[in-house]
Amino acid sequence: VEALLMNAKVLTPEEAPKKFANIQQIIVAINSLSKGFSERLVTASRPAIGLMFKQTLDVLLQVLVVFPNVETLRSKVTSFVHRMVDTLGASVFPYLPKALEQLLVDSEPKELVCLLLLLNQLICKFNTLFRDILDEVFPAITGRILKIIPVDTLPSGPGSNTEENRELQELQRTLYTFLHVITTHDLSSVFLSPKSRSYLQPIMQLLLLTSCKHKDILVRKACVQIFIRLIKDWCAMPNGGEKVPGFQSFIIESFATNCCLYSLLDTSFEFRDANTLVLFGEIVLAQKVMYEKFGNDFLAHFVSKGFPAAHCPQDLAEKYCQQLQGSDIKALKSFYQSLIESLRHQQNGSLVVR
């Protein structure tokens, strides 16, 4: 590979395809070869083999520098990095900042999806050990993605099924999985690091909108689960102070009413659908968690601001408070479903998510 990269700058248009094909074949071969070696073997029993893989990784990362825009090479190098995460374990760490930085250069939606999948693999494998590297790369990756994906829902209907739109939808879905993986692996502090802090509000707004309106119910469920985890991580500190100023009021005033009440009143929320019922279960759990963390601050706002806007009768509002304060989540779920259905009949779908 080093030999093939040496004269890369003076390649003629005729020579380029052959050279790319050669490099590609070599990467595929090394990738296949690496599957014969376990992490224990190359790091403990035979470290000399591990060293060879590290040197190879170093050289293959040069391919991204020399040919940043050759998609086939980029995808093969990405797949080799995936392999090295499994083969080298934590000893791959020194190579990751450079690899991730190069993979972000000139990346379009398709490449960003591949980059997020690599990050998901790293987080799932290393958990909090990966925090420092994630802290470094998160702002650049998030900034790039937020510039590309629309804040509101992606276009749908006639003429919207273009390749570009499909790639944006895939990127959007993968972004939510990435945020979900971060929060469920004890890494939510990454959102609060000084470099990432400016992205906190746009991310929260995106998650809120998605948890209320996204057409894919499983994506909505993931967003609600992210909020539940963040409430547990960031709220109700022992001294009563706020870990994230303004987060508690955002949850009580925006997430609780819009996602946990108004979005359910829309008739498109179909209780007979199995996935929707799972989402509904998460929404009920979110209310339970908010009550545990915020107590009457949550309950008072939800019942005095949310319920009157939905024209909820006083007796039902009181019964809701009793059910929420009880310990049986199954009973709360059943009661809340009947409450939503009776409110729908009254207003005939006139209330919209704000």
Side-chain angles (χ1 to χ4, degrees):
V1 174
E2 276 179 328
L4 286 166
L5 291 177
M6 264 174 134
N7 305 315
K9 298 293 179 204
V10 290
L11 273 187
T12 65
E14 293 77 36
E15 292 172 317
K18 187 167 185 277
K19 190 165 264 198
F20 296 157
N22 281 352
I23 295 173
Q24 200 176 320
Q25 279 184 319
I26 293 168
I27 300 172
V28 171
I30 302 169
N31 214 345
S32 302
L33 177 74
S34 72
K35 292 176 185 177
F37 298 89
S38 69
E39 183 183 329
R40 192 180 56 79
L41 179 77
V42 305
T43 55
S45 324
R46 305 281 297 281
I49 297 175
L51 182 62
M52 280 163 62
F53 279 124
K54 287 176 198 171
Q55 289 167 336
T56 306
L57 177 59
D58 215 15
V59 173
L60 292 188
L61 291 177
Q62 285 304 311
V63 174
L64 297 175
V65 179
V66 178
F67 302 118
N69 302 314
V70 182
E71 197 189 323
T72 51
L73 292 181
R74 194 185 183 111
S75 76
K76 290 292 178 284
V77 174
T78 306
S79 123
F80 184 69
V81 178
H82 276 287
R83 277 291 322 136
M84 288 302 99
V85 171
D86 283 336
T87 308
L88 295 169
S91 64
V92 79
F93 275 25
Y95 301 88
L96 291 175
K98 181 181 170 186
L100 296 168
E101 185 189 337
Q102 283 305 322
L103 288 170
L104 192 58
V105 172
D106 296 336
S107 48
E108 295 302 316
K110 211 169 170 180
E111 286 100 37
L112 285 167
V113 167
C114 295
L115 182 53
L116 291 180
L117 292 174
L118 175 60
L119 288 166
N120 287 347
Q121 180 201 12
L122 287 160
I123 295 167
C124 292
K125 185 169 173 72
F126 299 114
N127 297 296
T128 51
L129 290 176
F130 187 59
R131 178 181 279 119
D132 291 346
I133 296 176
L134 188 60
D135 262 341
E136 282 302 309
V137 299
F138 183 80
I141 289 167
T142 308
R144 181 110 179 89
I145 294 172
L146 291 178
K147 275 197 185 97
I148 295 175
I149 59 170
V151 176
D152 215 324
T153 44
L154 288 157
S156 58
S160 66
N161 193 20
T162 61
E163 183 66 28
E164 187 188 351
N165 261 349
R166 281 195 297 274
E167 285 180 7
L168 283 174
Q169 282 169 344
E170 183 62 22
L171 176 58
Q172 196 186 52
R173 267 196 302 273
T174 314
L175 171 66
Y176 295 125
T177 307
F178 174 55
L179 298 173
H180 189 269
V181 168
I182 288 175
T183 48
T184 52
H185 286 78
D186 296 317
L187 287 164
S188 63
S189 61
V190 167
F191 300 142
L192 307 178
S193 73
K195 290 178 185 171
S196 302
R197 201 73 188 236
S198 60
Y199 296 111
L200 185 60
Q201 194 186 4
I203 289 171
M204 291 303 118
Q205 290 298 338
L206 190 65
L207 289 171
L208 175 63
L209 192 69
T210 307
S211 67
C212 295
K213 290 184 165 185
H214 204 281
K215 287 185 170 60
D216 187 331
I217 293 294
L218 296 175
V219 168
R220 280 171 74 172
K221 182 190 79 170
C223 291
V224 174
Q225 288 173 330
I226 291 169
F227 277 124
I228 291 172
R229 188 62 194 242
L230 293 179
I231 294 165
K232 289 178 176 177
D233 283 358
W234 293 350
C235 298
M237 291 172 75
N239 60 4
E242 279 199 276
K243 187 172 183 180
V244 184
F247 181 70
Q248 179 171 323
S249 55
F250 165 76
I251 290 293
I252 293 172
E253 292 162 23
S254 300
F255 171 70
T257 48
N258 283 307
C259 176
C260 301
L261 180 59
Y262 302 156
S263 77
L264 306 184
L265 294 170
D266 194 293
T267 48
S268 66
F269 195 92
E270 181 50 80
F271 282 107
R272 284 171 299 189
D273 173 70
N275 283 336
T276 306
L277 269 180
V278 175
L279 166 62
F280 180 69
E282 294 294 333
I283 286 172
V284 172
L285 176 62
Q287 292 167 64
K288 204 79 176 143
V289 171
M290 285 187 282
Y291 180 64
E292 280 165 18
K293 290 289 184 183
F294 310 137
N296 285 331
D297 286 352
F298 158 67
L299 197 54
H301 189 278
F302 198 59
V303 172
S304 68
K305 297 281 196 314
F307 281 4
H311 312 298
C312 178
Q314 185 63 31
D315 61 322
L316 281 179
E318 284 167 13
K319 191 147 187 231
Y320 169 79
C321 295
Q322 290 162 9
Q323 292 281 354
L324 183 70
Q325 289 161 328
S327 58
D328 189 348
I329 188 129
K330 201 173 172 189
L332 174 62
K333 199 171 159 184
S334 170
F335 168 76
Y336 199 57
Q337 182 174 339
S338 62
L339 170 69
I340 293 295
E341 283 168 340
S342 83
L343 292 179
R344 275 188 193 175
H345 289 310
Q346 286 181 47
Q347 63 187 11
N348 204 14
S350 61
L351 197 75
V352 290
V353 176
R354 289 183 290 222

